[in-house]
């Protein structure tokens, strides 16, 4: 059985702490378990998935719907980025014109 080894650490005062030796506990009695240890029956493995024409159509329609929704989200995000970029460009042009007018003293 493995026994942990605690290193001896000197305290700042110079007192050395000895390692603690574990004492064996013989009062613990082993109890027998009262349940069955037979393995669980194995479930038969399925070899293939059978698609009916109706389920194939439903699968195709679901895949198409997912593609449309993801496409709409991506287009919306790109449109938001484009609008933000145009807005920042317009603000930059207006600020540039204002700074130029202030420097000319108008």
């Amino acid at each position: 059985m493995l026994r942990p080894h605690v290193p001896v650490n000197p305290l700042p005062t110079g007192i050395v702490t000895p390692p603690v030796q574990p004492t064996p506990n013989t009062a613990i009695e082993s109890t027998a378990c009262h349940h069955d240890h037979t393995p669980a029956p194995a479930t038969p493995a399925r070899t293939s998935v059978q698609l009916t024409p109706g389920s194939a159509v439903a699968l195709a329609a679901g895949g198409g719907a997912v593609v449309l929704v993801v496409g709409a989200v991506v287009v919306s995000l790109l449109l938001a980025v484009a609008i933000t970029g145009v807005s920042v460009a317009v603000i930059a042009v207006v600020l540039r014109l204002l700074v130029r007018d202030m420097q000319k003293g108008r």
Side-chain angles (χ1 to χ4, degrees):
M1 184 187 232
L2 298 174
R3 293 187 181 187
H5 175 69
V6 180
V8 178
N9 296 324
L11 296 176
T13 58
I15 301 172
V16 177
T17 305
V20 177
Q21 296 293 328
T23 58
N25 190 356
T26 58
I28 299 174
E29 297 178 10
S30 63
T31 59
C33 57
H34 302 287
H35 59 274
D36 191 17
H37 286 280
T38 58
T43 58
R46 295 181 72 175
T47 57
S48 65
V49 177
Q50 295 178 354
L51 288 178
T52 62
S55 62
V57 170
L59 185 64
V66 168
V67 167
L68 288 177
V69 169
V70 170
V73 169
V74 169
V75 168
S76 301
L77 289 172
L78 290 175
L79 186 61
V81 169
I83 290 172
T84 304
V86 169
S87 300
V88 169
V90 168
I91 290 172
V93 169
V94 169
L95 285 176
R96 183 177 164 196
L97 291 174
L98 288 174
V99 169
R100 185 180 292 167
D101 286 344
M102 287 175 61
Q103 286 178 350
K104 287 184 180 179
R106 290 187 184 176

